Amino acid sequence: MWLELVDNLIIIASLLTPLALLTLGATMLLTRYRSEKLVHVLLSSTFLGSLILVLGAGFGLFMSGESSRLIDLGPLIQLGSYHLELVLLVDPLSIIMLTLNFILCGVVGYFSSKYLHRDEGYYRFFMMMLFLATGVELAVIAAGFDVMFIGWELLGISSALLVAFFYRRQAPTQNAFWTYGIYRLTDIGLLSAIIALHHATDDVLMSNLGLLGSSSLVVGALFIFGAMGKGGLFPFTGWLPRAMEGPTSSSAIFYGALSVHMSPFLLLRLSPLIEAHKELQIAIAALGVLTLLHASMVGRVQTDAKSTMAYASAAQIGIMWVWVALGWYELTIIHMVGHAIARSWQILRAPSFIQERRILERMQGARVNHDRHVERFMPAKLERFLYHIALQRWFTDDFLLVVVHTLKKGVLWINSADTQLFQALTGSDKPATSTEEESSVEIQAKKSTSKA
Amino acid sequence: MKKQPHTSLDEILEHASHLLPAQMPIERFVHHNTLHSFESLPFDEAVLAAKDLYDAQPYMDEPFYRKAYREGRITRDDLMDIIKRLELPDVTPVVSSQDILLNWMLHLPETDLSTGLDWLIHERKLLCDYPQDLDRHAAERLLEAGPSTRVLPTLWRAAGQHTETLAHIFQEKKTSPRIHLVLREHTGVDLDDTIHPELISACASYLDQGISHWSAPDREVGFFDYMLKHYSQTVIEPIHWRRTLRKLLRSYKNENLSAEDVIERCIDALGLEASREDFILQTLLALRGWAGMFSMIERRPDTAPMPSPPNARLIDFLAIRLAMEHAVLTSTLDLDLKHTQTFSHIFNNFNNFDNFKNSEGFKKTREIRTFEESKKERVEQQVSITQWILFHALLYNGIDSELFDHFTTSQRTAFFDMLATYHEIKRRELWQLAYERNYRVKLLDGLLLHQKHKTSHRSPKSAEVQIVMCIDDREESIRRHIEEIEPRYETLGAGGFFGVAMNFRALHSPHTAPLCPPSVSPKHYIYEKLHGVSEAEPTALSNLYGQVHTRQGTTFSSGVLTSIMGVHKILPMMTRILAPRTHAKMFATPDKEVFSHTKTKLVILRETDELTPEGWHQGYTYEEMSEVIRLLLEDMGLVSNFAPLVAMVGHGSTSVNNPHGAGYGCGACGGGHGGPNGRAFAWMANQKEVRKLLKEKGITIPETTYFVGGYHNTTNNDVSFYDLDELPESQHERFAHLNEVLLKARQLDAHERCRRFNSAPLDITPEEALNHVEERSEDLAQPRPEYGHTANALCVVGEREWSRGLFLDRRAFLVSYSPDVDDAQGSILKRLLGSMGPVGAGINLEYYFSLVDNTRYGSGSKLPHNVSGMVGVMNGHRSDLRTGLPFQMVELHEPIRLIVLIEGTPEQVTRIVDSHPGLSTLVYNRWILAAVYDPKENRAWFLEPHGFEEHIVDEQTTHHRVFTKSADIYTGRRDLIQPATLSSLKHTHQKGGAHHVA
């Protein structure tokens, strides 16, 4: 009886946000009707309603005595013998994450409805927020990695679009592109892992992780790579401060609260796989410690409020990875929830930095010592070197750029070699005006414009 | 801004520093004229010069004014008045020049067409149908000429034949002394985008004064040497141009070069054709926020948040910037650092430059167009735009091609000249004049008619309570409400620092703030201490709280603990966001908690002649106090007829999540709040010795009069008073009544304010309104806690008598002044205008420019603002420092220049203005608009460029509205309301006893 209640409540709860999304989307696309009040009402009712339903479901799960519950909603895709099932997993972790999702989205949404009043992107912001909420929702109640991946992608796109919120300036769009680039790069790992899983076990349910045989180590490594992007693990931490281009409240909800925590969440879902391999545990712990060191050191030299908070966030995610590696899952969950609340609250108050500092100083009766702390004890030359490295963020972004450019050069070389081979084989003429350095891309472009 | 050649580098930088944003570190935010350094030019010339220099808008855009015209904010009369004053000679017999210009102003389309001319022609059916909004005569002429399908294309072709002559009007001068544009054209590499992330990061780390946990080492050697030291280190640098930069800086370090040497070298390497001054100025302006902050800390280190700020010099900034540019150029063109050709030589011979084709720069570009091709495209586009403009210029005046052919050569030339003269920017200047005229006419009409309608012709002779508030425009409404509720009270206005220019230290604060106008350097030090305690000690609890919270950084221990325990924050988070006012009342912020039960006193009287370490006097002597009191009382004209209770109420503002908080504060107190000033003044004025000295100077304050200091918070509308433990028994009843009056006044004032807040419903009650504004001041999510000086338009200097009861919609600074107390030369008036004039002008012009171009002059939207280094805000992750007012502060402002309405006669005022150089610059260059009012004869004059013109009101046609209650004037309306009369202020009997209340 309880389990039926859980099923129904979860299904309704998970439908509310997509419904709100479709309503708002349809209003924006098909009509000229714009009302801030409508958005406000729609969002508060959706999030509040979902929250109540989720709490009810949690209660139901608790009363039933079960530790988890699978809800099979039938096939998502069916093509001949190939089918993917839409299965939902309700367990304490998903209930907690859903609760966190709806509480924080609700509170930050309420905040944003006043904060973004009269901004030209008001409706666009809330569309993105609904995409976020849907994405998180799907990702946390998915029993299979396919549905999780859908949520994961929704999260990625809405993140990037919110970084580019002030698209009329160049910097936000460039930084959004960078953020999205990192996401896609690590998604290669995630997608490869899912495909490998399906290949090995004929399905993508999370419970299938135990069925992986010899390929489990590789699959695990790929999954870990996939989790590195969203969490800002080293060497991908550079996108977190860049993502502060969006409005304060979006920075709070995404990079303080929800989006970054998808990273340790994914690891928690991978726990059977991780437990099976010492190598994976070591890798995760190493990455976590490396991230902690990197983010702490670089965070200490940041001179603006939001960047400081971004790096603090990354450092904590690193620590959560270490907890997962050690197998301390309950601590990870407590840390995730606490951190999500504390950090989003801190970022929402980022503009108050100066005011809060002055209050602090009056409390102490003295200025805050912002000078070097432990660094004072280093020899001057070492301190200067480390400071410079920290300010350059350990050149992580720069090295990534170099890697990307090298790859691009390689691809273009392959392309031009291929074109030359083709032309040699088919005997077509090279254009007379081309120089050796013109890439084949440019040659193609010239050809097509001259035809047009 | 005189154009003398400045040769030495120091002189050039000195000149440049005046053209950089002059904004102090953000806690000291003070309104000042954004174009302060252009004040020696007339306003209309200055905004154009600034447009060229800063690439900023001089006026609002034409659609803004046309919308105002459609809505009736600008009338046809306004436009015709402005146009008539131009005295245009007629160009053609067909239609008068005035009508030509009027039609152009109303109809000529935009010229900012990057592409899509063909599309526009098609979309608007330009060559098919006559436009709907044609002037009647023009339409008649065109219909006579023939059907639209024939006339229009012919006209279009005719316009095309004259484009060569006119093309010079629409030339876009996109030349720059810097090499930045040329580099981008040739290689696609943007110099600024490449350098800025690095330069901004360096500047921010160098200037940081309190955000980072690890502050930059080696800052004491100066920015230039700091950069040399840091960048000479051996690191693995992945980015090519930065490798070049490191080599360059290392070579500078090895050769022991100074900043001046480096600048000379880099300028030589560029091979400039333009002047050095222009080049250096434009280079600095490329990152003007940070350059301005360097300059500010160099010139005024006392404004920095930390007591000993880093050694910042503008010359160092320039040297590093030029070194970076040099590095990017060298790297992009793949040159060796020791190359000998100058960069401009290279770019002039670009097509022969073989070296380039192998370089990184070439490979970066996706589409190479030669410079010539793009230039040709630009010229083609100019020609089409000219045709477009000429076509419309003729069309909207009903001049078809046949008619135009019959123009004589001289007529045609005159027509073209007129078109060239009244180009878009000139037309916008005229629109601006019409926009300002509209308000001025309404104001002066209202003022003159008000005298006939108000029923109270005399302020109460012996007032019960006199309330002195700041001249701030936000006080206009609460003063009006106080006068309306209690006619026995008199209100006066004076600069909110009340003449007490002091360096003030609040209880337990480690900082001292100068509470006075920014132009004044205070010499006295006053601090607040706990009553009955010799020294102020923070409690152990507050100390612990402070320690815990500062370490909430990125270190392992504090970060983990705070995060893991973060769950408990959900409750304060939810209540503070969902119910800010309740939260504020329940969970007082730490400082309120600690200090709510303390009684404090100000230490005002000088006890020792020793100076403070900064060189200030400790407190005041009685003689100094009496001077302060005397000057202020004379300024206000309050030298006799003192009420039994005089309240000196300073003002300030509280808001949360607002780095621009000081912008809402009291401008006369340098952005702080004037509560301590009112408190200090009241204490001084109550001292027996001071009153004795004042009596000798001619001002007798009766023994029965008591002064009390107070503080009006303009955000949450709170009014509270200080040192009430010293209030004499005899005043208790009077004071209680004052509080009752103030409560009602606060509610009504909040009610009046709420009509401008969209989130407050129009039918809100005064009690609810007070709650609403309290909530706004505590709401983290509210980027508009109050509207500050929005809509400020007027500064009234004179007796309150003639403006009392006139509804000015919170748009007026009200300065109390009495000609009866003044001498024949008007020395007091001169003193007042000299001090309050620039303050008002600064506020008004800052709002004007921040609205007109919020991107260049203002700081954009508050939403992406990120506090950097405790000195300013950036947009998002890494950007230039944003200066000026954010959009949310100015969006409801009306961009009009301040009208300073002075009591007197034109001759008197002219004499005074002429005798004060600062004032005459502002007035005669029309940065402020002067008007004069003579209450004895009820006549008003406005200063036009040629002299004072009397303003005559037509009583038959002008509708002046009269109301009995303030609320009736504005209830149900969210827009700005023209001056109206409150007739309910009755006068009282002369003798004490029975009195009538409205």
Side-chain angles (χ1 to χ4, degrees):
Chain A
M1 180 270 279
W2 287 113
L3 291 175
E4 273 163 29
L5 182 68
V6 169
D7 286 358
N8 293 328
L9 289 179
I10 287 292
I11 291 172
I12 301 175
S14 50
L15 283 176
L16 283 181
T17 316
L19 199 62
L21 179 59
L22 287 172
T23 314
L24 186 57
T27 318
M28 282 183 71
L29 280 176
L30 303 174
T31 71
R32 282 193 181 279
Y33 179 68
R34 297 281 182 268
S35 159
E36 288 190 3
K37 211 170 160 72
L38 168 73
V39 171
H40 186 75
V41 165
L42 187 65
L43 257 81
S44 3
S45 51
T46 305
F47 291 138
L48 190 60
S50 307
L51 177 66
I52 293 172
L53 293 170
V54 164
L55 288 174
F59 179 70
L61 186 68
F62 173 70
M63 293 303 288
S64 72
E66 302 273 339
S67 65
S68 72
R69 168 84 178 151
L70 282 172
I71 308 173
D72 193 332
L73 293 177
L76 188 63
I77 298 173
Q78 188 143 25
L79 296 166
S81 62
Y82 177 85
H83 68 102
L84 284 179
E85 296 281 323
L86 178 56
V87 189
L88 305 179
L89 168 65
V90 185
D91 65 354
L93 177 59
S94 54
I95 297 284
I96 291 173
M97 293 300 287
L98 281 176
T99 314
L100 191 65
N101 183 27
F102 292 125
I103 289 184
L104 286 178
C105 280
V107 170
V108 175
Y110 185 87
F111 182 98
S112 306
S113 66
K114 275 189 256 186
Y115 196 59
L116 273 97
H117 175 54
R118 285 177 65 115
D119 191 286
E120 63 167 356
Y122 186 87
Y123 303 96
R124 188 162 36 98
F125 180 88
F126 286 104
M127 281 292 291
M128 292 305 128
M129 188 163 228
L130 285 170
F131 268 116
L132 161 73
T134 313
V136 172
E137 187 186 83
L138 283 176
V140 304
I141 55 171
F145 283 108
D146 48 348
V147 177
M148 201 213 79
F149 189 71
I150 295 174
W152 191 267
E153 285 310 297
L154 279 178
L155 200 45
I157 296 179
S158 53
S159 264
L161 287 176
L162 270 177
V163 172
F165 186 73
F166 297 106
Y167 62 89
R168 292 190 193 278
R169 289 185 284 118
Q170 203 175 32
T173 52
Q174 285 173 336
N175 286 325
F177 191 63
W178 181 275
T179 304
Y180 196 58
I182 301 284
Y183 285 173
R184 296 308 277 167
L185 180 66
T186 50
D187 282 349
I188 294 173
L190 190 54
L191 201 50
S192 314
I194 296 176
I195 292 171
L197 179 63
H198 186 262
H199 185 71
T201 63
D202 256 352
D203 203 344
V204 288
L205 286 180
M206 290 180 185
S207 44
N208 281 19
L209 285 173
L211 300 176
L212 282 170
S214 50
S215 53
S216 59
L217 185 57
V218 173
V219 170
L222 287 171
F223 266 124
I224 291 170
F225 183 70
M228 284 172 71
K230 282 229 171 18
L233 274 291
F234 185 86
F236 301 122
T237 325
W239 69 263
L240 255 174
R242 288 168 188 264
M244 295 301 174
E245 291 283 355
T248 313
S249 45
S250 86
S251 303
I253 187 77
F254 281 79
Y255 315 113
L258 295 175
S259 179
V260 281
H261 291 105
M262 285 296 109
S263 170
F265 169 80
L266 177 59
L267 289 186
L268 285 173
R269 286 288 192 228
L270 293 171
S271 44
L273 196 54
I274 296 170
E275 278 167 11
H277 294 279
K278 252 273 171 318
E279 298 90 328
L280 292 179
Q281 290 167 28
I282 293 174
I284 292 173
L287 283 170
V289 168
L290 198 51
T291 306
L292 172 63
L293 287 174
H294 170 75
S296 300
M297 184 179 166
V298 177
R300 291 171 78 83
V301 307
Q302 295 308 305
T303 52
D304 57 279
K306 290 184 182 175
S307 296
T308 317
M309 294 171 194
Y311 277 105
S313 207
Q316 297 300 309
I317 300 291
I319 295 176
M320 284 178 224
W321 272 46
V322 174
W323 299 155
V324 171
L326 292 171
W328 298 346
Y329 304 132
E330 287 79 14
L331 181 58
T332 313
I333 297 175
I334 295 173
H335 195 171
M336 259 203 306
V337 171
H339 180 245
I341 294 170
R343 189 69 62 200
S344 55
W345 184 218
Q346 192 191 24
I347 296 180
L348 284 179
R349 290 180 357 257
S352 300
F353 195 96
I354 298 183
Q355 290 159 313
E356 292 189 355
R357 170 66 64 84
R358 298 307 177 210
I359 291 176
L360 226 63
E361 287 178 343
R362 282 190 72 183
M363 301 291 297
Q364 285 183 186
R367 288 184 199 277
V368 165
N369 174 25
H370 92 287
D371 209 349
R372 303 116 77 199
H373 298 111
V374 70
E375 296 84 4
R376 263 179 302 167
F377 302 116
M378 279 190 252
K381 242 186 142 194
L382 181 62
E383 190 197 347
R384 192 179 307 140
F385 178 75
L386 289 178
Y387 180 82
H388 190 67
I389 299 292
L391 202 59
Q392 299 291 352
R393 304 181 175 176
W394 293 14
F395 299 105
T396 46
D397 287 354
D398 304 320
F399 279 118
L400 279 172
L401 264 179
V402 168
V403 167
V404 167
H405 273 147
T406 317
L407 282 174
K408 178 177 163 190
K409 266 198 240 182
V411 167
L412 288 178
W413 182 86
I414 293 174
N415 191 19
S416 80
D418 180 54
T419 314
Q420 284 179 22
L421 183 62
F422 174 75
Q423 285 171 345
L425 289 176
T426 59
S428 59
D429 294 59
K430 272 176 146 192
T433 51
S434 77
T435 59
E436 278 160 58
E437 288 78 21
E438 254 185 341
S439 79
S440 52
V441 174
E442 279 146 10
I443 295 171
Q444 300 292 349
K446 279 200 172 167
K447 275 193 177 156
S448 54
T449 47
S450 59
K451 277 193 202 140
Chain B
M1 201 176 65
K2 302 178 186 60
K3 283 264 178 192
Q4 280 164 13
H6 305 121
T7 43
S8 91
L9 200 54
D10 282 333
E11 282 177 338
I12 297 177
L13 284 174
E14 162 73 27
H15 175 63
S17 66
H18 290 300
L19 295 172
L20 292 170
Q23 184 166 304
M24 295 192 270
I26 202 161
E27 290 172 280
R28 298 277 197 100
F29 186 95
V30 143
H31 299 286
H32 70 295
N33 180 3
T34 319
L35 297 190
H36 178 73
S37 43
F38 292 81
E39 271 175 13
S40 55
L41 289 176
F43 181 79
D44 47 347
E45 282 174 38
V47 293
L48 288 180
K51 168 182 186 298
D52 289 335
L53 188 63
Y54 298 129
D55 191 24
Q57 295 300 318
Y59 304 103
M60 301 296 282
D61 58 8
E62 228 169 359
F64 169 82
Y65 294 118
R66 288 179 180 169
K67 180 161 176 277
Y69 182 77
R70 282 195 300 275
E71 291 170 354
R73 170 63 179 77
I74 303 177
T75 63
R76 204 187 164 89
D77 286 342
D78 296 321
L79 282 176
M80 290 314 294
D81 179 77
I82 300 299
I83 293 176
K84 279 208 181 73
R85 286 176 193 273
L86 297 169
E87 291 175 3
L88 297 167
D90 272 339
V91 163
T92 145
V94 178
V95 56
S96 79
S97 288
Q98 287 172 4
D99 284 337
I100 291 180
L101 185 54
L102 183 65
N103 283 325
W104 284 353
M105 284 182 72
L106 291 174
H107 300 300
L108 271 188
E110 66 277 19
T111 53
D112 188 16
L113 312 158
S114 37
T115 51
L117 200 57
D118 292 332
W119 178 84
L120 269 177
I121 292 173
H122 186 261
E123 177 74 8
R124 294 184 186 177
K125 300 202 172 61
L126 212 57
L127 302 180
C128 306
D129 303 322
Y130 288 134
Q132 299 291 347
D133 47 356
L134 273 177
D135 167 68
R136 194 163 44 92
H137 301 292
E140 277 169 21
R141 276 195 291 279
L142 284 176
L143 287 170
E144 257 182 54
S148 57
T149 45
R150 181 173 62 78
V151 171
L152 291 173
T154 328
L155 185 58
W156 177 255
R157 277 193 293 278
Q161 286 161 3
H162 297 282
T163 49
E164 309 299 312
T165 345
L166 279 171
H168 66 278
I169 312 176
F170 303 108
Q171 259 169 17
E172 263 186 49
K173 286 189 300 165
K174 267 263 170 154
T175 58
S176 165
R178 296 176 63 216
I179 214 155
H180 161 240
L181 290 172
V182 173
L183 181 68
R184 195 165 58 188
E185 284 286 349
H186 282 75
T187 65
V189 170
D190 191 314
L191 190 61
D192 290 346
D193 284 351
T194 312
I195 293 180
H196 282 174
E198 197 67 27
L199 185 57
I200 292 169
S201 166
C203 291
S205 69
Y206 187 76
L207 290 178
D208 175 48
Q209 290 174 54
I211 293 193
S212 62
H213 272 260
W214 184 0
S215 62
D218 305 311
R219 291 199 278 179
E220 49 299 332
V221 299
F223 185 59
F224 182 71
D225 287 313
Y226 160 84
M227 290 294 281
L228 256 51
K229 263 198 169 151
H230 281 236
Y231 277 74
S232 311
Q233 299 177 92
T234 322
V235 295
I236 308 173
E237 173 63 75
I239 303 291
H240 189 259
W241 81 266
R242 289 212 299 252
R243 281 203 288 277
T244 316
L245 177 66
R246 290 178 193 280
K247 279 195 220 132
L248 196 61
L249 291 180
R250 198 174 296 132
S251 74
Y252 291 158
K253 184 157 183 276
N254 293 337
E255 292 179 55
N256 245 322
L257 294 180
S258 70
E260 290 84 351
D261 299 329
V262 167
I263 294 173
E264 296 295 342
R265 276 205 188 178
C266 291
I267 292 182
D268 289 339
L270 282 164
L272 281 184
E273 284 137 21
S275 79
R276 272 154 60 99
E277 291 93 36
D278 286 338
F279 173 75
I280 289 179
L281 184 56
Q282 287 298 332
T283 305
L284 287 173
L285 285 175
L287 197 67
R288 63 189 73 158
W290 286 106
M293 188 53 66
F294 262 88
S295 172
M296 176 58 66
I297 296 187
E298 181 178 6
R299 287 179 289 133
R300 295 280 311 267
D302 56 302
T303 60
M306 298 297 278
S308 42
N311 175 12
R313 298 193 315 154
L314 190 58
I315 196 170
D316 290 344
F317 175 86
L318 180 63
I320 295 297
R321 181 171 179 123
L322 287 177
M324 287 188 178
E325 292 193 359
H326 190 148
V328 172
L329 284 165
T330 311
S331 151
T332 310
L333 299 175
D334 220 17
L335 296 166
D336 187 81
L337 263 183
K338 296 194 187 31
H339 74 99
T340 47
Q341 291 173 308
T342 63
F343 288 112
S344 60
H345 176 79
I346 292 173
F347 284 115
N348 284 337
N349 302 308
F350 206 69
N351 290 328
N352 299 331
F353 185 58
D354 295 316
N355 205 16
F356 175 66
K357 295 206 173 83
N358 294 326
S359 72
E360 288 298 314
F362 186 90
K363 289 166 190 156
K364 274 184 200 142
T365 56
R366 273 173 286 152
E367 186 191 33
I368 302 290
R369 291 170 358 172
T370 65
F371 199 43
E372 291 308 311
E373 273 176 33
S374 60
K375 201 163 142 186
K376 201 161 70 99
E377 205 181 276
R378 276 201 298 268
V379 169
E380 276 167 19
Q381 214 186 27
Q382 271 170 29
V383 166
S384 330
I385 293 178
T386 315
Q387 185 178 15
W388 166 266
I389 293 296
L390 185 54
F391 174 78
H392 283 92
L394 293 168
L395 175 65
Y396 277 104
N397 283 300
I399 302 174
D400 73 313
S401 52
E402 259 189 68
L403 211 54
F404 194 54
D405 280 339
H406 286 129
F407 274 32
T408 67
T409 325
S410 61
Q411 282 177 340
R412 198 172 300 150
T413 317
F415 186 84
F416 288 157
D417 280 343
M418 195 173 155
L419 186 56
T421 315
Y422 291 99
H423 55 77
E424 192 204 343
I425 294 189
K426 186 72 182 165
R427 294 199 304 270
R428 282 155 69 186
E429 181 190 323
L430 297 176
W431 275 112
Q432 176 66 20
L433 291 174
Y435 190 75
E436 288 172 342
R437 179 188 182 272
N438 186 283
Y439 177 72
R440 180 174 74 245
V441 164
K442 291 203 182 101
L443 168 70
L444 293 177
D445 283 350
L447 176 63
L448 293 171
L449 293 174
H450 174 65
Q451 312 307 322
K452 301 183 165 54
H453 283 103
K454 63 175 187 161
T455 51
S456 158
H457 293 282
R458 230 183 348 260
S459 275
K461 252 280 166 76
S462 47
E464 253 301 277
V465 176
Q466 281 157 340
I467 305 175
V468 181
M469 302 183 106
C470 182
I471 62 172
D472 196 290
D473 48 330
R474 289 168 284 183
E475 308 285 43
E476 187 263 337
S477 54
I478 199 171
R479 282 176 62 177
R480 190 181 356 102
H481 286 292
I482 291 173
E483 289 164 349
E484 195 181 335
I485 297 169
E486 180 57 91
R488 288 179 303 160
Y489 288 4
E490 191 183 334
T491 69
L492 297 108
F497 71 115
F498 301 132
V500 184
M502 59 178 172
N503 290 300
F504 178 71
R505 191 169 76 87
L507 184 66
H508 294 333
S509 172
H511 302 277
T512 324
L515 294 179
C516 61
S519 51
V520 175
S521 216
K523 305 269 186 310
H524 302 267
Y525 171 66
I526 291 185
Y527 66 95
E528 187 181 10
K529 70 172 173 69
L530 284 175
H531 190 40
V533 177
S534 54
E535 227 178 88
E537 285 284 348
T539 66
L541 187 64
S542 66
N543 214 336
L544 179 63
Y545 181 92
Q547 296 283 3
V548 166
H549 272 250
T550 44
R551 296 181 65 238
Q552 197 192 54
T554 54
T555 55
F556 179 78
S557 54
S558 58
V560 173
L561 280 174
T562 347
S563 302
I564 291 180
M565 311 242 281
V567 187
H568 80 283
K569 286 225 161 55
I570 191 68
L571 194 60
M573 181 179 182
M574 285 179 72
T575 54
R576 199 152 173 214
I577 291 179
L578 299 174
R581 191 167 160 267
T582 324
H583 176 96
K585 288 206 165 357
M586 281 173 30
F587 306 99
T589 56
D591 62 336
K592 285 188 202 148
E593 219 166 69
V594 168
F595 300 121
S596 59
H597 301 298
T598 53
K599 270 206 168 63
T600 67
K601 287 287 158 216
L602 295 187
V603 176
I604 302 174
L605 182 60
R606 179 162 317 160
E607 279 152 17
T608 155
D609 277 332
E610 226 177 81
L611 294 180
T612 67
E614 300 89 347
W616 303 324
H617 296 286
Q618 308 251 23
Y620 288 78
T621 60
Y622 285 123
E623 171 56 34
E624 288 168 343
M625 289 185 209
S626 66
E627 267 304 286
V628 166
I629 310 282
R630 178 185 73 83
L631 284 170
L632 191 78
L633 292 179
E634 282 181 2
D635 280 351
M636 293 193 291
L638 182 65
V639 295
S640 59
N641 285 324
F642 289 94
L645 184 62
V646 181
M648 308 293 298
V649 183
H651 76 100
S653 148
T654 52
S655 53
V656 291
N657 242 10
N658 188 9
H660 287 95
Y664 290 117
C666 180
C669 297
H673 80 81
N677 301 71
R679 191 179 182 188
F681 187 97
W683 188 89
M684 290 184 198
N686 283 336
Q687 300 309 305
K688 280 205 170 55
E689 291 79 356
V690 175
R691 292 197 184 184
K692 204 163 67 143
L693 289 165
L694 280 172
K695 193 159 178 189
E696 289 165 21
K697 299 182 188 191
I699 301 178
T700 311
I701 303 178
E703 261 189 49
T704 46
T705 294
Y706 186 76
F707 285 76
V708 66
Y711 168 54
H712 172 213
N713 186 321
T714 53
T715 319
N716 60 23
N717 259 24
D718 181 60
V719 177
S720 47
F721 291 94
Y722 300 99
D723 299 326
L724 293 175
D725 51 332
E726 293 180 13
L727 193 68
E729 273 287 334
S730 51
Q731 300 284 357
H732 282 187
E733 205 189 305
R734 193 170 292 118
F735 185 75
H737 185 63
L738 173 63
N739 271 329
E740 278 168 31
V741 170
L742 281 174
L743 176 61
K744 279 221 287 285
R746 286 164 51 211
Q747 286 171 342
L748 288 172
D749 186 48
H751 185 237
E752 184 173 339
R753 286 175 57 202
C754 276
R755 72 188 190 87
R756 301 281 270 162
F757 295 136
N758 224 344
S759 51
L762 278 172
D763 55 358
I764 199 171
T765 69
E767 294 80 22
E768 291 168 346
L770 191 57
N771 292 344
H772 181 89
V773 299
E774 282 175 6
E775 184 173 275
R776 282 184 99 92
S777 73
E778 293 288 344
D779 196 346
L780 289 169
Q782 183 57 260
R784 302 168 180 85
E786 61 161 298
Y787 273 119
H789 297 288
T790 293
N792 75 84
L794 174 63
C795 182
V796 175
V797 182
E799 295 259 29
R800 180 56 175 159
E801 181 48 51
W802 46 268
S803 61
R804 191 158 168 268
L806 181 62
F807 177 82
L808 289 171
D809 205 5
R810 292 168 62 88
R811 303 184 73 171
F813 297 95
L814 299 172
V815 185
S816 290
Y817 161 71
S818 172
D820 299 334
V821 176
D822 208 353
D823 59 20
Q825 290 86 10
S827 326
I828 295 181
L829 182 58
K830 183 169 163 185
R831 190 168 74 211
L832 263 179
L833 288 176
S835 59
M836 294 297 112
V839 169
I843 293 175
N844 176 270
L845 290 166
E846 172 113 59
Y847 270 75
Y848 176 87
F849 288 114
S850 288
L851 177 61
V852 163
D853 197 335
N854 195 245
T855 315
R856 288 271 193 262
Y857 290 136
S859 55
S861 167
K862 276 191 188 182
L863 269 46
H865 280 178
N866 184 5
V867 177
S868 178
M870 305 291 260
V871 294
V873 293
M874 303 189 294
N875 270 344
H877 164 238
R878 249 183 208 164
S879 82
D880 198 6
L881 280 184
R882 301 312 312 270
T883 55
L885 296 172
F887 183 66
Q888 281 85 353
M889 274 180 86
V890 296
E891 61 182 330
L892 291 187
H893 182 61
E894 274 203 346
I896 58 184
R897 285 172 284 179
L898 193 68
I899 299 174
V900 182
L901 182 63
I902 308 165
E903 180 171 342
T905 64
E907 298 74 33
Q908 289 172 344
V909 173
T910 311
R911 235 182 315 117
I912 289 174
V913 168
D914 286 343
S915 69
H916 190 295
L919 209 50
S920 52
T921 311
L922 284 177
V923 169
Y924 292 125
N925 283 337
R926 303 188 76 75
W927 292 89
I928 52 180
L929 306 172
V932 176
Y933 178 65
D934 187 345
K936 297 191 196 62
E937 314 217 347
N938 197 26
R939 294 171 67 189
W941 297 262
F942 177 70
L943 184 63
E944 294 279 0
H946 61 81
F948 276 105
E949 250 182 48
E950 185 166 356
H951 178 88
I952 309 292
V953 57
D954 186 347
E955 295 187 37
Q956 311 303 336
T957 56
T958 312
H959 175 55
H960 184 73
R961 300 184 310 152
V962 179
F963 298 86
T964 48
K965 275 200 342 249
S966 273
D968 292 339
I969 304 179
Y970 58 77
T971 304
R973 293 180 62 170
R974 292 214 189 267
D975 56 333
L976 289 171
I977 300 173
Q978 68 189 67
T981 296
L982 263 183
S983 61
S984 54
L985 298 168
K986 307 221 186 298
H987 59 82
T988 69
H989 290 302
Q990 299 308 321
K991 310 238 172 16
H995 55 268
H996 293 297
V997 181

